[in-house]
Amino acid sequence: MWPFTARNAVADKQQARFVEKSAPSIFSALKNPKNQQDRYTVSKLLEILTVRELAPAMTASGKQKVILNCLTPGFCHSELMRDAPFPLNILAPVGKFILARTTEVGSRTLVSAAAASEDTHGMYLQDLKVKEPSRWVRSEEGKEVQKKVYKELLGILEGIAPGITKNI
């Protein structure tokens, strides 16, 4: 598993191990200090799962006033790997030199998503195009985990600000 790209949830192969997916409480399991090296890829996967559930809920409520998308700028020159442990602290600069795009090129997808039309609502954008999420995200297991993540997240948000989910 190579953590250089945020494209993990779009590639045919899911790169996030996401061992917490079968825990009774996913968000509680994520507090475990084990598997911290997987947190970046899992955070991107959680974002995709949440948006895939939230976007249709926004549309169904009739309150949709924004277009909600996920995106990746791709692997860009940045400080993301600045605190990487060995051997990534050696390999990351080499990988960046060979593979990374400039932040300006990466930002084009952000600008594209900001200016996107309603038909992209709930979609994943990469390289200025709508892309399919990974096979796992689209699988039955992925859909079940997606619903579980969304339900847990809404419960957490309600615990923080009761009634907040009525705004969806």
Side-chain angles (χ1 to χ4, degrees), residues 20 29-30 32 34-43:
E20 302 83 2
L30 287 168
N32 186 328
K34 291 183 179 182
N35 300 315
Q36 290 298 308
Q37 73 280 1
D38 198 34
R39 290 299 184 256
Y40 179 78
T41 52
V42 168
S43 72

Side-chain angles (χ1 to χ4, degrees), residues 16 70 85 149:
C70 287
V149 164

